[in-house]
mmCIF file of all heavy atoms in Angstrom:
data_model
loop_
_atom_site.group_PDB
_atom_site.id
_atom_site.type_symbol
_atom_site.label_atom_id
_atom_site.label_comp_id
_atom_site.label_asym_id
_atom_site.label_seq_id
_atom_site.Cartn_x
_atom_site.Cartn_y
_atom_site.Cartn_z
ATOM 1 N N LYS V 12 2.787 24.989 19.051
ATOM 2 C CA LYS V 12 2.655 23.949 20.101
ATOM 3 C C LYS V 12 1.360 24.400 20.936
ATOM 4 O O LYS V 12 1.126 25.562 21.187
ATOM 5 C CB LYS V 12 3.912 24.039 21.028
ATOM 6 C CG LYS V 12 4.873 23.005 20.844
ATOM 7 C CD LYS V 12 5.875 22.990 21.830
ATOM 8 C CE LYS V 12 5.696 21.864 22.729
ATOM 9 N NZ LYS V 12 6.701 20.969 22.971
ATOM 10 N N ILE V 16 2.375 30.542 24.297
ATOM 11 C CA ILE V 16 1.772 31.673 24.731
ATOM 12 C C ILE V 16 1.349 32.554 23.450
ATOM 13 O O ILE V 16 2.286 32.779 22.643
ATOM 14 C CB ILE V 16 2.692 32.478 25.660
ATOM 15 C CG1 ILE V 16 2.969 31.679 26.784
ATOM 16 C CG2 ILE V 16 2.090 33.850 25.984
ATOM 17 C CD1 ILE V 16 4.134 32.265 27.774
ATOM 18 N N TYR V 33 6.870 25.044 17.424
ATOM 19 C CA TYR V 33 5.876 24.336 16.605
ATOM 20 C C TYR V 33 5.940 22.773 16.846
ATOM 21 O O TYR V 33 6.883 22.251 17.428
ATOM 22 C CB TYR V 33 6.218 24.570 15.117
ATOM 23 C CG TYR V 33 6.013 25.962 14.725
ATOM 24 C CD1 TYR V 33 7.117 26.885 14.752
ATOM 25 C CD2 TYR V 33 4.837 26.391 14.355
ATOM 26 C CE1 TYR V 33 6.968 28.159 14.415
ATOM 27 C CE2 TYR V 33 4.601 27.715 13.876
ATOM 28 C CZ TYR V 33 5.640 28.624 14.031
ATOM 29 O OH TYR V 33 5.527 29.942 13.583
ATOM 30 N N GLU V 34 4.870 22.185 16.400
ATOM 31 C CA GLU V 34 4.771 20.689 16.544
ATOM 32 C C GLU V 34 3.873 20.114 15.460
ATOM 33 O O GLU V 34 3.369 21.014 14.746
ATOM 34 C CB GLU V 34 4.211 20.175 17.945
ATOM 35 C CG GLU V 34 2.804 20.723 18.084
ATOM 36 C CD GLU V 34 2.276 20.408 19.574
ATOM 37 O OE1 GLU V 34 3.026 19.668 20.317
ATOM 38 O OE2 GLU V 34 1.167 20.832 19.835
ATOM 39 N N ILE V 35 3.867 18.814 15.273
ATOM 40 C CA ILE V 35 2.954 18.328 14.280
ATOM 41 C C ILE V 35 1.527 18.290 14.756
ATOM 42 O O ILE V 35 1.286 18.008 15.949
ATOM 43 C CB ILE V 35 3.311 16.812 13.964
ATOM 44 C CG1 ILE V 35 4.774 16.675 13.497
ATOM 45 C CG2 ILE V 35 2.369 16.220 12.885
ATOM 46 C CD1 ILE V 35 5.215 15.225 13.207
ATOM 47 N N GLN V 40 -0.643 13.432 13.489
ATOM 48 C CA GLN V 40 0.190 12.445 14.106
ATOM 49 C C GLN V 40 -0.486 10.967 14.153
ATOM 50 O O GLN V 40 0.152 9.956 13.999
ATOM 51 C CB GLN V 40 0.504 12.748 15.558
ATOM 52 C CG GLN V 40 1.382 14.093 15.665
ATOM 53 C CD GLN V 40 2.007 14.252 16.968
ATOM 54 O OE1 GLN V 40 2.461 13.319 17.534
ATOM 55 N NE2 GLN V 40 1.926 15.471 17.516
ATOM 56 N N THR V 69 11.284 20.133 9.836
ATOM 57 C CA THR V 69 11.314 19.354 11.122
ATOM 58 C C THR V 69 10.244 18.338 11.228
ATOM 59 O O THR V 69 10.343 17.303 11.802
ATOM 60 C CB THR V 69 11.425 20.229 12.353
ATOM 61 O OG1 THR V 69 10.317 21.127 12.417
ATOM 62 C CG2 THR V 69 12.612 21.181 12.232
ATOM 63 N N LYS V 72 11.037 15.598 8.990
ATOM 64 C CA LYS V 72 12.136 14.695 9.584
ATOM 65 C C LYS V 72 11.672 13.850 10.714
ATOM 66 O O LYS V 72 12.028 12.693 10.935
ATOM 67 C CB LYS V 72 13.207 15.562 10.036
ATOM 68 C CG LYS V 72 14.102 16.047 8.773
ATOM 69 C CD LYS V 72 15.364 16.819 9.336
ATOM 70 C CE LYS V 72 16.101 17.404 8.133
ATOM 71 N NZ LYS V 72 17.046 18.400 8.554
ATOM 72 N N GLU V 73 10.729 14.486 11.527
ATOM 73 C CA GLU V 73 10.217 13.692 12.662
ATOM 74 C C GLU V 73 9.339 12.525 12.073
ATOM 75 O O GLU V 73 9.489 11.413 12.676
ATOM 76 C CB GLU V 73 9.328 14.590 13.530
ATOM 77 C CG GLU V 73 8.977 13.994 14.799
ATOM 78 C CD GLU V 73 8.201 14.951 15.752
ATOM 79 O OE1 GLU V 73 8.286 16.123 15.599
ATOM 80 O OE2 GLU V 73 7.364 14.387 16.493
ATOM 81 N N ALA V 76 11.792 9.918 11.128
ATOM 82 C CA ALA V 76 12.495 9.334 12.299
ATOM 83 C C ALA V 76 11.441 8.253 12.926
ATOM 84 O O ALA V 76 11.892 7.212 13.469
ATOM 85 C CB ALA V 76 12.759 10.289 13.372
ATOM 86 N N ARG V 77 10.142 8.536 12.769
ATOM 87 C CA ARG V 77 9.106 7.550 13.375
ATOM 88 C C ARG V 77 8.955 6.366 12.443
ATOM 89 O O ARG V 77 8.304 5.408 12.698
ATOM 90 C CB ARG V 77 7.882 8.159 13.590
ATOM 91 C CG ARG V 77 7.949 9.199 14.660
ATOM 92 C CD ARG V 77 6.630 9.566 15.145
ATOM 93 N NE ARG V 77 6.714 10.812 15.974
ATOM 94 C CZ ARG V 77 5.788 11.356 16.817
ATOM 95 N NH1 ARG V 77 4.637 10.668 16.864
ATOM 96 N NH2 ARG V 77 5.968 12.326 17.545
ATOM 97 N N ARG V 186 3.808 6.077 18.279
ATOM 98 C CA ARG V 186 5.045 5.588 18.693
ATOM 99 C C ARG V 186 6.140 6.716 18.974
ATOM 100 O O ARG V 186 5.862 7.788 18.420
ATOM 101 C CB ARG V 186 5.570 4.628 17.619
ATOM 102 C CG ARG V 186 6.016 5.298 16.359
ATOM 103 C CD ARG V 186 6.224 4.315 15.128
ATOM 104 N NE ARG V 186 4.876 3.655 14.907
ATOM 105 C CZ ARG V 186 4.887 2.448 14.165
ATOM 106 N NH1 ARG V 186 6.053 1.918 13.713
ATOM 107 N NH2 ARG V 186 3.838 1.916 13.887
ATOM 108 N N TYR V 187 7.156 6.407 19.690
ATOM 109 C CA TYR V 187 8.200 7.404 19.856
ATOM 110 C C TYR V 187 9.223 7.254 18.744
ATOM 111 O O TYR V 187 9.376 6.057 18.170
ATOM 112 C CB TYR V 187 8.891 7.251 21.259
ATOM 113 C CG TYR V 187 7.974 7.276 22.358
ATOM 114 C CD1 TYR V 187 7.572 6.167 22.998
ATOM 115 C CD2 TYR V 187 7.507 8.425 22.771
ATOM 116 C CE1 TYR V 187 6.705 6.256 24.032
ATOM 117 C CE2 TYR V 187 6.579 8.610 23.861
ATOM 118 C CZ TYR V 187 6.208 7.414 24.433
ATOM 119 O OH TYR V 187 5.256 7.563 25.543
ATOM 120 N N ALA V 188 9.979 8.337 18.372
ATOM 121 C CA ALA V 188 11.090 8.175 17.492
ATOM 122 C C ALA V 188 12.171 7.575 18.298
ATOM 123 O O ALA V 188 12.498 7.983 19.341
ATOM 124 C CB ALA V 188 11.441 9.549 16.935
ATOM 125 N N THR V 189 12.652 6.446 17.787
ATOM 126 C CA THR V 189 13.803 5.803 18.579
ATOM 127 C C THR V 189 15.115 6.421 18.097
ATOM 128 O O THR V 189 15.128 7.060 17.059
ATOM 129 C CB THR V 189 13.924 4.257 18.128
ATOM 130 O OG1 THR V 189 14.237 4.167 16.728
ATOM 131 C CG2 THR V 189 12.549 3.642 18.454
ATOM 132 N N LEU V 190 16.214 6.278 18.888
ATOM 133 C CA LEU V 190 17.470 6.870 18.505
ATOM 134 C C LEU V 190 17.923 6.330 17.214
ATOM 135 O O LEU V 190 18.434 7.106 16.352
ATOM 136 C CB LEU V 190 18.499 6.474 19.633
ATOM 137 C CG LEU V 190 18.257 6.987 21.041
ATOM 138 C CD1 LEU V 190 19.484 6.782 21.907
ATOM 139 C CD2 LEU V 190 17.818 8.344 21.101
ATOM 140 N N LYS V 191 17.633 4.998 16.874
ATOM 141 C CA LYS V 191 18.056 4.541 15.616
ATOM 142 C C LYS V 191 17.229 5.148 14.444
ATOM 143 O O LYS V 191 17.787 5.397 13.491
ATOM 144 C CB LYS V 191 17.878 2.909 15.571
ATOM 145 C CG LYS V 191 19.007 2.226 16.239
ATOM 146 C CD LYS V 191 18.786 0.701 16.083
ATOM 147 C CE LYS V 191 19.802 -0.036 16.977
ATOM 148 N NZ LYS V 191 19.376 -1.418 17.292
ATOM 149 N N ILE V 193 15.849 7.961 14.453
ATOM 150 C CA ILE V 193 16.326 9.437 14.229
ATOM 151 C C ILE V 193 17.546 9.368 13.386
ATOM 152 O O ILE V 193 17.668 10.187 12.421
ATOM 153 C CB ILE V 193 16.596 10.124 15.531
ATOM 154 C CG1 ILE V 193 15.256 10.211 16.270
ATOM 155 C CG2 ILE V 193 17.261 11.389 15.390
ATOM 156 C CD1 ILE V 193 15.287 10.710 17.718
ATOM 157 N N MET V 194 18.455 8.489 13.591
ATOM 158 C CA MET V 194 19.751 8.490 12.812
ATOM 159 C C MET V 194 19.434 7.939 11.391
ATOM 160 O O MET V 194 20.000 8.547 10.469
ATOM 161 C CB MET V 194 20.844 7.645 13.461
ATOM 162 C CG MET V 194 21.250 8.256 14.811
ATOM 163 S SD MET V 194 21.531 9.938 14.900
ATOM 164 C CE MET V 194 22.959 10.248 14.118
ATOM 165 N N ALA V 196 16.827 8.328 9.691
ATOM 166 C CA ALA V 196 16.087 9.378 8.942
ATOM 167 C C ALA V 196 16.990 10.353 8.208
ATOM 168 O O ALA V 196 16.590 10.900 7.127
ATOM 169 C CB ALA V 196 15.164 10.226 9.926
ATOM 170 N N LYS V 197 18.240 10.499 8.737
ATOM 171 C CA LYS V 197 19.201 11.347 8.048
ATOM 172 C C LYS V 197 19.426 10.988 6.593
ATOM 173 O O LYS V 197 19.758 11.820 5.771
ATOM 174 C CB LYS V 197 20.516 11.262 8.785
ATOM 175 C CG LYS V 197 20.799 12.419 9.831
ATOM 176 C CD LYS V 197 22.072 12.039 10.662
ATOM 177 C CE LYS V 197 23.285 12.794 10.232
ATOM 178 N NZ LYS V 197 24.397 12.609 11.193
ATOM 179 N N ASP E 9 19.817 18.942 13.999
ATOM 180 C CA ASP E 9 18.368 18.421 13.941
ATOM 181 C C ASP E 9 18.201 17.248 14.717
ATOM 182 O O ASP E 9 17.143 16.990 15.413
ATOM 183 C CB ASP E 9 18.050 18.247 12.533
ATOM 184 C CG ASP E 9 17.573 19.679 11.788
ATOM 185 O OD1 ASP E 9 17.660 20.689 12.489
ATOM 186 O OD2 ASP E 9 17.336 19.569 10.553
ATOM 187 N N GLU E 10 19.102 16.236 14.501
ATOM 188 C CA GLU E 10 18.984 14.961 15.059
ATOM 189 C C GLU E 10 18.988 14.970 16.669
ATOM 190 O O GLU E 10 18.294 14.436 17.427
ATOM 191 C CB GLU E 10 20.015 14.068 14.594
ATOM 192 C CG GLU E 10 19.905 13.584 13.196
ATOM 193 C CD GLU E 10 20.265 14.627 12.154
ATOM 194 O OE1 GLU E 10 21.099 15.442 12.442
ATOM 195 O OE2 GLU E 10 19.554 14.640 11.097
ATOM 196 N N GLN E 13 15.766 16.239 17.912
ATOM 197 C CA GLN E 13 14.823 15.185 17.829
ATOM 198 C C GLN E 13 14.902 14.244 18.908
ATOM 199 O O GLN E 13 13.919 13.762 19.506
ATOM 200 C CB GLN E 13 14.852 14.536 16.556
ATOM 201 C CG GLN E 13 14.173 15.223 15.403
ATOM 202 C CD GLN E 13 14.091 14.364 14.111
ATOM 203 O OE1 GLN E 13 14.086 13.115 14.222
ATOM 204 N NE2 GLN E 13 14.019 14.939 13.033
ATOM 205 N N ILE E 14 16.168 13.935 19.263
ATOM 206 C CA ILE E 14 16.421 12.980 20.386
ATOM 207 C C ILE E 14 15.857 13.632 21.697
ATOM 208 O O ILE E 14 15.102 12.945 22.467
ATOM 209 C CB ILE E 14 17.957 12.748 20.604
ATOM 210 C CG1 ILE E 14 18.338 11.905 19.371
ATOM 211 C CG2 ILE E 14 18.282 12.103 21.908
ATOM 212 C CD1 ILE E 14 19.900 11.811 19.214
ATOM 213 N N LYS E 16 13.535 15.822 22.058
ATOM 214 C CA LYS E 16 12.098 15.853 21.907
ATOM 215 C C LYS E 16 11.465 14.506 22.135
ATOM 216 O O LYS E 16 10.544 14.334 22.921
ATOM 217 C CB LYS E 16 11.684 16.368 20.535
ATOM 218 C CG LYS E 16 10.221 16.578 20.358
ATOM 219 C CD LYS E 16 9.936 17.306 19.057
ATOM 220 C CE LYS E 16 8.552 17.488 18.843
ATOM 221 N NZ LYS E 16 7.780 16.189 18.407
ATOM 222 N N SER E 17 12.069 13.475 21.615
ATOM 223 C CA SER E 17 11.486 12.140 21.676
ATOM 224 C C SER E 17 11.611 11.723 23.198
ATOM 225 O O SER E 17 10.748 11.035 23.657
ATOM 226 C CB SER E 17 12.269 11.185 20.764
ATOM 227 O OG SER E 17 11.647 9.859 20.711
ATOM 228 N N GLU E 20 9.102 13.418 25.230
ATOM 229 C CA GLU E 20 7.705 12.931 25.157
ATOM 230 C C GLU E 20 7.590 11.564 25.850
ATOM 231 O O GLU E 20 6.558 11.410 26.581
ATOM 232 C CB GLU E 20 7.537 12.587 23.546
ATOM 233 C CG GLU E 20 7.223 13.799 22.775
ATOM 234 C CD GLU E 20 7.084 13.535 21.293
ATOM 235 O OE1 GLU E 20 7.234 12.370 20.900
ATOM 236 O OE2 GLU E 20 6.972 14.526 20.481
ATOM 237 N N PHE E 21 8.702 10.764 25.786
ATOM 238 C CA PHE E 21 8.600 9.459 26.473
ATOM 239 C C PHE E 21 8.527 9.628 28.009
ATOM 240 O O PHE E 21 7.685 9.076 28.684
ATOM 241 C CB PHE E 21 9.828 8.621 26.118
ATOM 242 C CG PHE E 21 10.046 7.406 26.951
ATOM 243 C CD1 PHE E 21 9.327 6.232 26.522
ATOM 244 C CD2 PHE E 21 10.782 7.341 28.041
ATOM 245 C CE1 PHE E 21 9.446 5.055 27.231
ATOM 246 C CE2 PHE E 21 10.915 6.179 28.815
ATOM 247 C CZ PHE E 21 10.233 5.009 28.343
ATOM 248 N N ALA E 24 5.159 10.958 29.093
ATOM 249 C CA ALA E 24 3.989 10.056 28.901
ATOM 250 C C ALA E 24 4.195 8.796 29.825
ATOM 251 O O ALA E 24 3.220 8.317 30.381
ATOM 252 C CB ALA E 24 3.815 9.756 27.484
ATOM 253 N N GLU E 25 5.415 8.317 29.969
ATOM 254 C CA GLU E 25 5.659 7.018 30.466
ATOM 255 C C GLU E 25 6.159 7.097 31.908
ATOM 256 O O GLU E 25 6.023 6.121 32.700
ATOM 257 C CB GLU E 25 6.732 6.135 29.687
ATOM 258 C CG GLU E 25 6.370 6.046 28.188
ATOM 259 C CD GLU E 25 5.223 5.101 27.840
ATOM 260 O OE1 GLU E 25 4.908 4.310 28.709
ATOM 261 O OE2 GLU E 25 4.571 5.350 26.824
ATOM 262 N N ALA E 49 13.740 -0.226 23.964
ATOM 263 C CA ALA E 49 13.235 -0.062 22.538
ATOM 264 C C ALA E 49 13.444 1.258 21.913
ATOM 265 O O ALA E 49 13.622 1.307 20.695
ATOM 266 C CB ALA E 49 11.611 -0.358 22.606
ATOM 267 N N LEU E 50 13.585 2.238 22.696
ATOM 268 C CA LEU E 50 13.982 3.562 22.184
ATOM 269 C C LEU E 50 15.435 3.637 21.986
ATOM 270 O O LEU E 50 15.850 4.607 21.236
ATOM 271 C CB LEU E 50 13.537 4.673 23.198
ATOM 272 C CG LEU E 50 12.306 5.485 22.823
ATOM 273 C CD1 LEU E 50 10.983 4.606 22.903
ATOM 274 C CD2 LEU E 50 12.279 6.713 23.693
ATOM 275 N N GLY E 51 16.273 2.899 22.549
ATOM 276 C CA GLY E 51 17.732 2.985 22.507
ATOM 277 C C GLY E 51 18.338 3.552 23.647
ATOM 278 O O GLY E 51 19.583 3.823 23.626
ATOM 279 N N LEU E 52 17.535 3.888 24.727
ATOM 280 C CA LEU E 52 18.133 4.608 25.881
ATOM 281 C C LEU E 52 19.011 3.808 26.724
ATOM 282 O O LEU E 52 19.784 4.257 27.655
ATOM 283 C CB LEU E 52 16.959 5.160 26.733
ATOM 284 C CG LEU E 52 15.932 6.078 25.879
ATOM 285 C CD1 LEU E 52 15.096 6.777 26.871
ATOM 286 C CD2 LEU E 52 16.744 7.051 25.032
ATOM 287 N N VAL E 55 22.978 3.741 24.828
ATOM 288 C CA VAL E 55 23.223 5.045 23.993
ATOM 289 C C VAL E 55 24.594 5.049 23.301
ATOM 290 O O VAL E 55 24.796 5.408 22.208
ATOM 291 C CB VAL E 55 23.025 6.265 24.968
ATOM 292 C CG1 VAL E 55 23.358 7.559 24.234
ATOM 293 C CG2 VAL E 55 21.682 6.253 25.647
ATOM 294 N N GLU E 59 26.000 -0.102 17.071
ATOM 295 C CA GLU E 59 24.765 -0.895 16.680
ATOM 296 C C GLU E 59 25.113 -2.452 16.672
ATOM 297 O O GLU E 59 24.250 -3.242 16.967
ATOM 298 C CB GLU E 59 24.212 -0.479 15.375
ATOM 299 C CG GLU E 59 23.680 0.908 15.378
ATOM 300 C CD GLU E 59 22.756 1.198 14.166
ATOM 301 O OE1 GLU E 59 22.428 0.316 13.482
ATOM 302 O OE2 GLU E 59 22.532 2.396 13.997
ATOM 303 N N GLY E 62 24.078 -3.926 19.695
ATOM 304 C CA GLY E 62 22.728 -3.554 20.168
ATOM 305 C C GLY E 62 22.567 -2.089 20.644
ATOM 306 O O GLY E 62 21.509 -1.803 21.175
ATOM 307 N N GLY E 63 23.601 -1.294 20.449
ATOM 308 C CA GLY E 63 23.410 0.039 21.030
ATOM 309 C C GLY E 63 22.952 1.024 19.923
ATOM 310 O O GLY E 63 22.598 0.644 18.835
ATOM 311 N N ALA E 64 22.906 2.277 20.357
ATOM 312 C CA ALA E 64 22.455 3.375 19.385
ATOM 313 C C ALA E 64 23.586 4.142 18.768
ATOM 314 O O ALA E 64 23.296 4.931 17.867
ATOM 315 C CB ALA E 64 21.588 4.317 20.180
ATOM 316 N N MET E 66 25.619 6.478 19.780
ATOM 317 C CA MET E 66 25.622 7.887 19.951
ATOM 318 C C MET E 66 26.849 8.344 20.735
ATOM 319 O O MET E 66 27.546 7.500 21.364
ATOM 320 C CB MET E 66 24.331 8.290 20.582
ATOM 321 C CG MET E 66 23.148 7.882 20.099
ATOM 322 S SD MET E 66 22.262 9.252 19.364
ATOM 323 C CE MET E 66 21.426 8.378 17.972
ATOM 324 N N ILE E 74 19.959 13.078 26.797
ATOM 325 C CA ILE E 74 19.022 12.091 27.240
ATOM 326 C C ILE E 74 18.868 11.992 28.753
ATOM 327 O O ILE E 74 17.739 12.076 29.227
ATOM 328 C CB ILE E 74 19.400 10.703 26.611
ATOM 329 C CG1 ILE E 74 19.309 10.671 25.073
ATOM 330 C CG2 ILE E 74 18.667 9.526 27.288
ATOM 331 C CD1 ILE E 74 19.980 9.431 24.454
#
Side-chain angles (χ1 to χ4, degrees):
Chain V
K12 258 186 110 125
I16 299 169
Y33 295 92
E34 63 187 351
I35 303 181
Q40 300 197 37
T69 58
K72 284 185 183 166
E73 195 176 328
R77 291 195 196 191
R186 68 193 65 198
Y187 302 104
T189 65
L190 300 191
K191 277 185 194 160
I193 291 169
M194 296 322 281
K197 261 171 102 168
Chain E
D9 277 355
E10 288 74 31
Q13 278 189 27
I14 291 168
K16 180 167 183 288
S17 187
E20 284 170 4
F21 175 83
E25 310 286 338
L50 253 74
L52 309 186
V55 181
E59 291 194 17
M66 306 254 148
I74 291 166

